[in-house]
Amino acid sequence: MKTLSLLLLLFLSITSLSAQQIESEKVFLGYKFTMNNQRLDLKAMKKLMIADTEATRLIKKARKNNTISTILGSIGGSFVGIPIGIAASNQDAPWALAGVGAAFIGVAIPISIRSNNQALEAAERINQVNSSPPNPLQVTFHFIGNQNGVGLALSF
């Protein structure tokens, strides 16, 4: 009876784990990822991708591209903001610096879009892995008998 209860518990836990899906919602210039109504960032998604090497590779690339995009966008925003601040104080502003900042931002946007697409692809891949049925257990029963008596052996 204990063995049957243990097998039932194991089956239910495997079923509940495979039922969890990463949901994605399209937002401005990217996607918002959630699981069980909790928002996931790329770091949390990386922990969920351990089951699949391809998904892990994709999420690592997405994190790297997101970091690069954030750095380039921050530098670009600073370069654009400095001349605007100087111009607001009625001084002669270095508008070439704003042009360089706009170029940084222009490079950061496609990298950010690529990062979001890689994260979406990783989420779809891990959802596919989670939704596929697990390998069926090969359970065999054998009647055994020895000097201690007769019994039922369960192999899997």
Side-chain angles (χ1 to χ4, degrees):
M1 188 64 185
K2 289 182 183 180
T3 306
L4 183 60
S5 299
L6 182 63
L7 286 174
L8 182 61
L9 180 65
L10 178 67
F11 175 75
L12 290 176
S13 66
I14 289 172
T15 304
S16 68
L17 285 176
S18 66
Q20 295 179 353
Q21 298 285 314
I22 299 173
E23 299 169 5
S24 61
E25 179 184 340
K26 180 84 170 142
V27 294
F28 181 70
L29 290 178
Y31 297 93
K32 178 177 82 170
F33 299 102
T34 57
M35 178 184 269
N36 299 331
N37 295 325
Q38 291 184 345
R39 186 156 185 172
L40 296 174
D41 60 354
L42 293 178
K43 187 175 183 179
M45 286 179 66
K46 182 181 175 190
K47 292 178 184 176
L48 297 172
M49 304 294 166
I50 292 174
D52 186 48
T53 57
E54 179 64 20
T56 302
R57 185 186 66 78
L58 284 169
I59 203 69
K60 283 181 180 179
K61 283 176 117 177
R63 288 186 71 196
K64 182 180 86 171
N65 285 332
N66 185 46
T67 301
I68 292 169
S69 172
T70 301
I71 291 169
L72 291 175
S74 299
I75 292 170
S78 298
F79 284 2
V80 169
I82 290 171
I84 291 173
I86 293 173
S89 65
N90 293 327
Q91 296 178 7
D92 190 24
W95 293 109
L97 187 62
V100 172
F104 271 93
I105 293 170
V107 170
I109 289 172
I111 294 172
S112 177
I113 292 171
R114 184 181 321 131
S115 169
N116 284 316
N117 289 338
Q118 288 167 335
L120 178 65
E121 190 177 342
E124 289 173 348
R125 182 162 177 89
I126 203 68
N127 284 341
Q128 182 181 16
V129 167
N130 285 345
S131 66
S132 64
N135 293 335
L137 290 175
Q138 298 295 328
V139 180
T140 57
F141 295 98
H142 300 284
F143 287 105
I144 57 171
N146 58 23
Q147 68 272 13
N148 294 327
V150 178
L152 180 66
L154 174 67
S155 302
F156 53 94

